[in-house]
Amino acid sequence: MLHHCKPAILLPVAIILSLGFILIAQFGLGVTDGSDTRAGKLTSLVRVSDSEFALELEPSAKERPLLQRALVTVFTQLDSNKTFDTQMADALVLAHSFNVLPRVDRQGVEFVVAMSGIGFSAETILLGFGGEAAFSPQFGRRKGLAIPENSYKECTKASCFAKLYLFGLEAFSDILYVDPAVVINAGFSTSAVFELSTGAGFFGAVPSLGLGENTLDSSVLLFKPSISPSRKIDFEGYYLDQSPSCTTWSRLPESLNLQLLASRSQESISSSQIIPHDFWTYKPSPKNPSSAIHSRWASSMRSLFDFQMNLYNYSNVGLIPTKLSDLDLMIRGNTFAKKFVIITIMSSKVEKKVFDRTMANRARYCERHPEVTHHLQSQIFARNAVWQKIWTLADLFGNYTTNHYDWAWLLDGRDAMIMNGEIELRSLVAKFAMERPDLDMDVLIARDISAAMNAGSFFVRNSKWTRDVFLPELKLYANHSQENIREHPWQEQWGIIRMNDDGRNDTTSHLYQVEQRRQNEFNSFTFGPEPTYRPGDLVVHAPNHGWKGLYSFLEDKNYKEY
């Protein structure tokens, strides 16, 4: 009984109240839904359309061929919208890594994701992730599956072990379980792994490095699922899953679960197949042998990003930044997977040399940061180019199905240049969002040397408040009934200032007005008591001086664009 075992390492997903399963398969299949909604039940199999995430309940379960083997992982979905879900990203990258394995290694093997606390968003994402079939994770009765009804065992207290449910998946002949936070190395072969014997043990595992030969590490498990042994497990109390006295287990080769990666040799890393990682919080130095695995992990994230962008024009993951501090900000600020658009308003009448220089400046930044897109608006439908940015922003945000922009950077076209291409918009915005947890930050704008907000370079989030309140209200200022407001020289800036200072539409709860002393973080000026711009700043801006003033400043100071 597990509660008699000596505590070992905590199971990463131990505190779980319910468990469901999603299966990303190689063929279409399905069974009918039922009415039993008890937590932890296996439910219906559904077919998913990649383009629309449509659910189809055919063919029937009777036509479904017997599944042989499965590669399974488990993750717990976060409820918070404030932090990026790295477990979700790990599960998606693992699924993608499986999908790009040679066909011979995927033949007869299904990829299964088991989840706790699954929501509609995560369900839709995983069901539509390039696969065709899935176990629906929440409701229904097991019908048509070769799994007895009494295999279900409900958790009697607030915690239970998600992995233990996997031993009841008798629809599969063999299961290889892996934690989501692993890197599949170049030499991985599912056929070779499944040929390994677990001997007389209930399952196979690699001993936990540093805790003795008699303690296993549950990051990787190989077993033949059987309901009978799993029903004998007692869920009373708080238990751990890695103590060897709990049940009989056999030892697998260390190459299937290379622990303590940072201290390993190049030879052991190169010969390993499955490698657990903590790269969300740790980045090895270039001289460390594990840096090659970090690069492989980052490349897998990029491959998944490109795969989803090509299919859906959005991705559930982002690209790994160069700096670990940036990654930490993106995770905690929940901007890692966000897509940005730079909006430039520039009519076709502008001088060609100015147009070409601005376009090249934006293109270089977007090439370096694929999660950022540049949108040029050359047709002016509003009363002038200054106000056009509000109309363009409303159009781009209103068509989220096509554009999927999470944030917009409104940057003046002729008198503002991006100067530091190394700065990540995802980490910049995350930093300010975390500074003001009291705000639901939808607008990020800085005060300038005149102590007023300056809209030459500012950020707007694609939120319901932005679309339904902020932008419609700003449009009213463009054609205001009062001439002193309609013709105010600050134009759209005046509208933003008035909305904030007058407390209209709860603007003060959605707008972060950065102090002038920090203006240079994303809106540095060419002038002031002395120029606020310093080399290394993100942007140099010459309001009221135009492109000639900007170019002269750069030439006089011998400042170069990145």
Side-chain angles (χ1 to χ4, degrees):
M1 304 279 277
L2 286 184
H3 62 283
H4 296 309
C5 300
K6 182 179 179 181
I9 299 176
L10 287 176
L11 173 68
V13 288
I15 304 176
I16 293 176
L17 296 179
S18 64
L19 180 66
F21 297 89
I22 281 187
L23 167 65
I24 300 177
Q26 300 169 6
F27 43 81
L29 39 115
V31 299
T32 57
D33 286 332
S35 58
D36 193 336
T37 61
R38 291 188 298 171
K41 298 275 291 188
L42 288 179
T43 61
S44 58
L45 294 165
V46 295
R47 185 178 178 91
V48 181
S49 165
D50 286 341
S51 59
E52 300 178 356
F53 300 128
L55 305 183
E56 304 171 13
L57 299 179
E58 58 181 2
S60 69
K62 293 181 180 179
E63 300 171 0
R64 184 183 188 281
L66 176 66
L67 301 181
Q68 295 298 311
R69 294 168 170 173
L71 177 64
V72 183
T73 194
V74 170
F75 84 96
T76 305
Q77 185 187 17
L78 296 177
D79 294 328
S80 173
N81 292 321
K82 299 296 184 181
T83 303
F84 178 75
D85 192 343
T86 58
Q87 282 200 22
M88 176 71 167
D90 285 331
L92 286 172
V93 170
L94 186 59
H96 183 64
S97 298
F98 174 80
N99 284 345
V100 298
L101 286 174
R103 182 175 295 275
V104 65
D105 277 332
R106 291 182 284 119
Q107 193 68 33
V109 181
E110 308 294 343
F111 188 90
V112 180
V113 177
M115 289 159 293
S116 161
I118 183 67
F120 174 77
S121 175
E123 176 184 352
T124 302
I125 291 165
L126 284 161
L127 290 179
F129 178 73
E132 295 182 353
F135 281 114
S136 176
Q138 286 195 337
F139 306 111
R141 183 186 303 277
R142 283 173 295 193
K143 292 183 178 179
L145 294 178
I147 303 178
E149 187 69 20
N150 61 4
S151 66
Y152 170 73
K153 183 175 180 63
E154 188 174 7
C155 294
T156 56
K157 292 192 176 182
S159 64
C160 66
F161 292 136
K163 295 177 186 178
L164 297 179
Y165 283 102
L166 304 178
F167 286 92
L169 288 177
E170 289 186 340
F172 302 99
S173 62
D174 299 271
I175 288 178
L176 173 64
Y177 168 80
V178 294
D179 280 352
V182 300
V183 176
I184 300 298
N185 212 355
F188 178 75
S189 169
T190 57
S191 57
V193 172
F194 280 117
E195 291 305 316
L196 294 173
S197 172
T198 58
F202 180 30
F203 59 87
V206 176
S208 182
L209 191 64
L211 297 179
E213 284 292 315
N214 293 323
T215 303
L216 65 92
D217 185 274
S218 65
S219 299
V220 178
L221 302 172
L222 180 65
F223 57 92
K224 292 183 179 296
S226 176
I227 293 169
S228 298
S230 64
R231 290 177 61 192
K232 297 177 182 178
I233 298 174
D234 194 337
F235 284 92
E236 293 182 358
Y238 189 78
Y239 312 116
L240 304 175
D241 68 331
Q242 301 186 145
S243 179
S245 60
C246 297
T247 187
T248 304
W249 61 285
S250 60
R251 286 155 179 75
L252 297 177
E254 187 184 44
S255 62
L256 287 181
N257 183 1
L258 190 72
Q259 304 152 50
L260 301 182
L261 175 62
S263 61
R264 294 308 189 118
S265 67
Q266 182 65 60
E267 181 181 2
S268 62
I269 291 174
S270 299
S271 61
S272 293
Q273 300 186 63
I274 301 174
I275 304 177
H277 74 81
D278 57 354
F279 292 146
W280 294 109
T281 56
Y282 162 76
K283 181 180 180 180
S285 66
K287 295 182 179 180
N288 192 300
S290 62
S291 63
I293 298 300
H294 180 276
S295 297
R296 187 175 182 86
W297 174 68
S299 296
S300 296
M301 202 73 67
R302 175 60 187 264
S303 179
L304 173 59
F305 175 85
D306 291 340
F307 170 79
Q308 290 190 306
M309 289 295 293
N310 290 334
L311 281 180
Y312 314 123
N313 197 31
Y314 78 93
S315 177
N316 303 107
V317 300
L319 304 185
I320 305 299
T322 303
K323 299 178 181 178
L324 185 62
S325 58
D326 283 341
L327 180 59
D328 178 65
L329 283 171
M330 295 173 191
I331 294 171
R332 293 190 292 124
N334 197 19
T335 59
F336 176 70
K338 302 305 181 185
K339 188 176 179 183
F340 285 70
V341 58
I342 304 173
I343 297 178
T344 300
I345 310 296
M346 185 177 289
S347 72
S348 56
K349 298 179 181 179
V350 72
E351 295 85 343
K352 185 178 186 304
K353 67 175 183 179
V354 177
F355 180 88
D356 290 346
R357 185 169 180 177
T358 298
M359 293 303 104
N361 178 268
R362 307 305 191 254
R364 285 195 300 273
Y365 188 87
C366 293
E367 184 178 1
R368 188 172 298 190
H369 303 276
E371 70 282 350
V372 181
T373 301
H374 179 226
H375 178 85
L376 170 66
Q377 182 68 42
S378 57
Q379 292 184 300
I380 310 301
F381 301 108
R383 58 183 304 189
N384 56 39
V386 171
W387 278 106
Q388 180 60 45
K389 66 177 69 171
I390 305 303
W391 266 258
T392 299
L393 185 60
D395 289 342
L396 292 179
F397 279 5
N399 193 10
Y400 190 77
T401 302
T402 301
N403 297 322
H404 298 287
Y405 298 130
D406 300 290
W407 282 90
W409 183 15
L410 292 101
L411 183 62
D412 283 359
R414 297 198 300 174
D415 62 359
M417 286 289 178
I418 304 173
M419 299 297 288
N420 187 349
E422 295 297 324
I423 294 178
E424 285 269 6
L425 299 185
R426 293 176 294 167
S427 60
L428 176 71
V429 169
K431 177 184 69 173
F432 284 104
M434 288 188 296
E435 287 178 357
R436 292 294 305 273
D438 57 310
L439 297 179
D440 188 8
M441 192 181 80
D442 292 319
V443 180
L444 174 62
I445 191 168
R447 298 172 68 91
D448 61 20
I449 58 176
S450 66
M453 285 182 277
N454 183 276
S457 173
F458 74 111
F459 298 88
V460 180
R461 184 167 71 101
N462 190 354
S463 69
K464 188 176 188 305
W465 180 85
T466 297
R467 296 188 300 270
D468 297 349
V469 179
F470 180 68
L471 296 178
E473 179 78 7
L474 268 183
K475 287 182 177 181
L476 296 178
Y477 281 90
N479 302 296
H480 204 278
S481 58
Q482 297 181 28
E483 184 178 0
N484 63 327
I485 295 177
R486 183 176 66 250
E487 303 298 336
H488 196 283
W490 288 354
Q491 301 190 80
E492 91 291 8
Q493 292 176 165
W494 182 246
I496 297 173
I497 292 170
R498 290 271 51 86
M499 287 178 65
N500 184 71
D501 292 354
D502 296 345
R504 294 177 59 85
N505 298 309
D506 200 29
T507 302
T508 55
S509 297
H510 294 267
L511 183 146
Y512 187 3
Q513 184 178 182
V514 179
E515 294 297 328
Q516 190 273 325
R517 62 184 174 83
R518 302 180 62 193
Q519 171 195 348
N520 63 328
E521 296 197 46
F522 56 87
N523 193 6
S524 301
F525 281 7
T526 58
F527 58 87
E530 60 181 29
T532 64
Y533 174 77
R534 293 289 184 272
D537 291 349
L538 175 62
V539 165
V540 61
H541 182 201
N544 300 323
H545 292 187
W547 65 266
K548 293 182 179 179
L550 174 63
Y551 292 1
S552 295
F553 173 79
L554 295 178
E555 292 170 5
D556 292 344
K557 299 291 185 179
N558 197 28
Y559 290 149
K560 305 295 183 182
E561 299 171 47
Y562 63 99

